[in-house]
Amino acid sequence: MIQLISGSKGTGKTKQIIDMANAQVETAKGDIVFLTDTDRYMYSIRYQVRIVNAECLRRGDKPVTEEALIGFIKGVLAGNHDIETLYIDGAHRIMGKTVHEMKDFFDDMYAVAQATETKIVLTVSEDEKNFPEFMQKYRG
């Protein structure tokens, strides 16, 4: 399952996803992973949530390639079958793409979520009314 937290820049998506991850600690039966591209939120997220900084995937000042990010996510999930929920804050920012350019990424994340029975929650810097056609199946 894929869940999207959407809205334009500055609307509180990151705070919302952090609050979701922190609240889930109380009821989680498996592990919770939070993938982002900064250490800025390290002290906002409860210690039970594993924080992974995708900055380690960058080569210089180039954005992370879609293939590298998908491979990294698959590796994280393959290395721990107990991951219940994977939160991804700003995949578009990590890859330097707009949401409209991310059809393959969302298709792959959907397939990974199905294959691993992992819930994947992503922030998307775009209002739902502007979602491209391929994202309509992830609405609400």
Side-chain angles (χ1 to χ4, degrees):
M1 173 185 157
I2 291 183
Q3 179 180 350
L4 303 179
I5 308 299
S6 62
S8 56
K9 184 175 172 140
T11 56
K13 296 176 301 298
T14 297
K15 180 174 178 359
Q16 186 177 353
I17 200 172
I18 288 171
D19 290 346
M20 287 174 70
N22 285 338
Q24 187 180 357
V25 167
E26 302 299 327
T27 59
K29 294 178 176 69
D31 294 335
I32 304 166
V33 176
F34 192 96
L35 177 66
T36 187
D37 62 347
T38 180
D39 288 328
R40 190 168 69 199
Y41 312 117
M42 188 183 319
Y43 299 107
S44 301
I45 298 175
R46 294 178 64 175
Y47 73 90
Q48 295 95 333
V49 177
R50 173 75 169 119
I51 302 171
V52 180
N53 187 339
E55 279 294 305
C56 66
L57 300 174
R58 285 200 200 281
R59 298 180 76 201
D61 60 351
K62 297 179 182 176
V64 175
T65 66
E66 189 168 312
E67 294 80 17
L69 184 58
I70 291 168
F72 183 75
I73 290 167
K74 287 179 177 180
V76 167
L77 295 173
N80 182 351
H81 295 283
D82 294 330
I83 295 175
E84 180 176 323
T85 307
L86 172 64
Y87 293 92
I88 305 174
D89 183 38
H92 64 285
R93 187 177 59 242
I94 294 168
M95 295 184 293
K97 291 187 170 194
T98 68
V99 174
H100 299 272
E101 301 171 302
M102 296 176 58
K103 181 183 184 328
D104 291 341
F105 177 80
F106 281 100
D107 289 346
D108 283 345
M109 287 300 94
Y110 182 78
V112 166
Q114 297 300 313
T116 61
E117 298 180 3
T118 303
K119 180 178 181 182
I120 300 177
V121 181
L122 301 108
T123 59
V124 178
S125 286
E126 186 71 63
D127 289 322
E128 275 191 30
K129 65 182 179 188
N130 298 327
F131 277 4
E133 185 64 36
F134 69 85
M135 289 182 66
Q136 297 306 319
K137 65 182 174 183
Y138 308 120
R139 291 179 80 169

